Amino acid sequence: TYPLWMEPVDIYRSHNLGTNALFCEALSILGQMGMILNTENDYEIKSEELKASMNRYMWLDNKGYYGQYLYGHYGYSLSPRSESLGEALCILFDIASDQQKKKMSDSVPVMEYGITCIYPQIPGIPPYHNNAGWPFVQAYWSWAAARNGNNAAVEHGIASIYRQAALFLTNKENMVATNGDFNGTEINSDNQLWSVAANLAVVYRLWFGLDYQPDRLAFKPLLPQSMKGYYELTGLKYRNAVLDIYISGYGNAISSFELDGTVQNKYDVPAELTGRHTVRIVMNNKYNSGPVKTAGSLFSPQTPEAWLRED
């Protein structure tokens, strides 16, 4: 995803959106660990400082999303491409404000066969990270869309992940952005671990809405109407407990939540739970959706080849 003129030192000195999002969350988690252990540290402060810097230097208000990376030797410029994994992480890690998240829902480009790693694409580079869609990136974007209440993007994301698994009878690593086919990609493989994880994430993170918190396992399921039905997730190990989870209906919120046959007001199970337990969830049968706004194929101009003649 870097232009051909870049050398290793240029890439090394760049500041990528997704990488910084991960560091921001890792620092925050270290700060939380320090609080639990009653150990004084400044990790949470560093996380907030990094978050502020990302929003200052990487947010493109005219585009409605974050730029791909900062690059340059002596003065940094921001690449105006969208970087989908980074965009998703900025939503999931609350680096983006609520207002920014809403803008991103409407602005981050999604193509017909799913979201691409970057947008627009770079000409002259075969499909892999460039001009390609990866199921695991799609899973993160779908998860972020669910958090954002963008139901149309969630449904489109699930369809994108299931389409390739159904057509190719395996979980391919990546697909060509323009036609959704694995033929034409530079490198590919079957049963790709992170593509399998993406497929599983549809069940765990979206349908059953598993949301792991430090002190509990919360449930925030999202089941599109087109996938309404009855689903079971049995034998799920959670700390010192084993959960058998059953969910029925469809919708964007829980209608009733039972733990071992007792109706609960809170939709979670505590971290201290031990032994085997049953969770039954009934959805509210409300789900507003519609066609997702897709962007057509777009490539940036070729990098100019300049030369020096005489003076």
Side-chain angles (χ1 to χ4, degrees):
T1 56
Y2 296 95
L4 294 173
W5 61 262
M6 276 198 178
E7 296 182 2
V9 67
D10 300 300
I11 297 171
Y12 167 77
R13 288 174 57 88
S14 65
H15 299 279
N16 174 266
L17 177 66
T19 305
N20 276 277
L22 286 171
F23 270 90
C24 193
E25 179 70 357
L27 288 165
S28 177
I29 290 168
L30 285 169
Q32 293 173 53
M33 289 166 67
M35 289 178 65
I36 292 168
L37 296 170
N38 200 24
T39 304
E40 200 172 314
N41 64 56
D42 61 353
Y43 290 123
E44 193 64 49
I45 295 170
K46 290 181 183 294
S47 176
E48 288 299 319
E49 287 174 347
L50 179 53
K51 176 179 173 180
S53 291
M54 291 175 68
N55 281 308
R56 179 179 177 185
Y57 295 111
M58 304 194 80
W59 175 254
L60 291 164
D61 201 54
N62 62 325
K63 296 277 190 182
Y65 52 75
Y66 292 89
Q68 178 188 18
Y69 50 69
L70 290 157
Y71 67 98
H73 275 285
Y74 305 108
Y76 281 101
S77 299
L78 179 60
S79 168
R81 297 183 202 276
S82 167
E83 193 258 293
S84 307
L85 181 58
E87 313 290 356
L89 295 178
C90 283
I91 292 172
L92 292 168
F93 298 157
D94 291 320
I95 294 166
S97 66
D98 290 344
Q99 185 180 12
Q100 286 172 310
K101 289 175 186 177
K102 188 176 185 310
K103 279 190 173 183
M104 291 166 76
S105 277
D106 298 330
S107 304
V108 173
V110 177
M111 290 180 64
E112 181 182 0
Y113 296 102
I115 201 161
T116 53
C117 292
I118 60 170
Y119 191 96
Q121 315 307 324
I122 304 172
I125 298 177
Y128 187 58
H129 291 130
N130 181 65
N131 193 26
W134 291 55
F136 99 88
V137 175
Q138 180 64 70
Y140 272 106
W141 179 248
S142 302
W143 184 11
R147 286 277 186 91
N148 230 3
N150 188 346
N151 295 347
V154 171
E155 208 160 357
H156 184 262
I158 294 173
S160 300
I161 292 170
Y162 279 7
R163 173 193 169 276
Q164 60 89 19
L167 281 179
F168 309 138
L169 303 179
T170 184
N171 290 275
K172 285 287 188 182
E173 185 176 11
N174 59 98
M175 274 67 65
V176 178
T178 49
N179 60 22
D181 196 346
F182 68 90
N183 284 304
T185 54
E186 193 168 26
I187 305 170
N188 221 310
S189 61
D190 293 335
N191 302 315
Q192 178 55 245
L193 184 62
W194 45 68
S195 299
V196 173
N199 211 315
L200 289 170
V202 170
V203 176
Y204 285 95
R205 297 294 191 177
L206 298 178
W207 290 3
F208 286 87
L210 302 184
D211 183 16
Y212 291 88
Q213 299 293 329
D215 59 345
R216 68 193 187 282
L217 173 60
F219 292 82
K220 299 175 183 176
L222 189 70
L223 257 175
Q225 186 172 1
S226 58
M227 297 166 191
K228 66 180 179 181
Y230 175 74
Y231 299 95
E232 300 179 358
L233 182 58
T234 58
L236 178 73
K237 292 180 180 179
Y238 173 61
R239 298 199 179 193
N240 294 316
V242 177
L243 304 176
D244 296 326
I245 312 168
Y246 306 92
I247 189 168
S248 59
Y250 72 91
N252 57 10
I254 293 173
S255 174
S256 72
F257 184 93
E258 293 182 6
L259 178 61
D260 296 329
T262 303
V263 176
Q264 307 289 316
N265 293 324
K266 292 182 178 180
Y267 307 146
D268 56 41
V269 296
E272 310 83 59
L273 203 66
T274 59
R276 192 159 198 133
H277 299 271
T278 301
V279 174
R280 294 191 184 276
I281 300 170
V282 178
M283 299 301 291
N284 65 352
N285 289 347
K286 295 177 183 177
Y287 192 91
N288 297 321
S289 186
V292 73
K293 184 173 71 175
T294 56
S297 179
L298 185 66
F299 284 78
S300 60
Q302 288 276 7
T303 303
E305 291 187 19
W307 65 91
L308 185 67
R309 182 178 295 157
E310 297 176 2
D311 291 329

